[in-house]
Amino acid sequence: MAAYVLRRVLGAIVLMFLVSIVTFYLIHRAPGGPALLSNPDLTQSQVQEFTEALELDDPLYSQYFRWLKHAIRGDFGNSYSTIKPVTEVISERLPNTAILAFSAIGLSILLAVPLGVISAVRRDSLLDRVITSFSFLGTSIPVFWLGIMLIVLFSLRLDWLPSGGMRSTGQPFSVSDRLSHLVLPMTVLAVSNLAELTRYMRSGMITVLQEDYMRTARSKGLSERRVLRVHGLKNALIPIITVIGIMIPRAMGSAAVTETVFSWPGMGRLAVESATSRDYPVVIGATLTIALITVTCSLITDLLYGVLDPRIRMS
């Protein structure tokens, strides 16, 4: 186990290094630059002074290795837009995205597991067809369209929920206020995850129901509820763990659309704003953060296999 974890950690270091190279190259080769995008009225001499002050006129490889030397020590530079350290900017936004992503995934799991089990147990019934149709619909709806429709309905028409932001301006902190702002973006982010998890849960449960050990458990006189809960659900959850392990970093990395639609101050919105303004240090820092989360979730998922299924061993 220790050797396996060590190999994965070394592989993660190599992956982070490659991601940093690709991101650094692409963002620096994009048209425009931080000087003109921050102030289009700058003269040519002012742009030159800005570029020299940030050492952006050096060869790209020289800029990268200078950045890498500081990054190894945990210094990712300062944001061009706010002059704050990149680590501080990310630490302010990352918890907001984590709250949104984990709330959406938690809601998806709570609904997807019973829906998938019911759909599998009552296979080919009307209820199964309804759940399956919802799954296909959920994966087909564009996130931005669903977000706008929910804002129109629940914010503009019914005036039940706020249309954006993370809290009410000028109001003291309250749990109810935060939850009211969380409901719409969480729902939008949860819909596609719920649809995907339900399909995987249904498929996994159908496979488990056909196994010999399920028939053996029934022949012992166990109730159908106990057979499903003790023998069926645990084995059907193994492929779901894989999906959840992929879903967590994907939700945190792909929340840009949801966060932009609902003005949620998270990592996705930060990445969009930074890429638009060519804030190179923040873009690279945000990308590496998401890459690290992805690798970590993948490692935890692999280790959980051994917990859920003793037949799986990490060599």
Side-chain angles (χ1 to χ4, degrees), residues 183-201:
V183 169
L184 291 184
M186 176 184 67
T187 302
V188 170
L189 202 59
V191 165
S192 60
N193 293 335
L194 171 60
E196 184 178 359
L197 281 175
T198 302
R199 292 173 61 188
Y200 274 101
M201 191 66 209

Side-chain angles (χ1 to χ4, degrees), residues 28 51-52 54-63 66:
H28 280 76
T51 302
E52 291 176 356
L54 297 177
E55 299 180 313
L56 297 176
D57 54 343
D58 292 347
L60 193 57
Y61 68 85
S62 177
Q63 295 182 53
R66 183 170 56 245

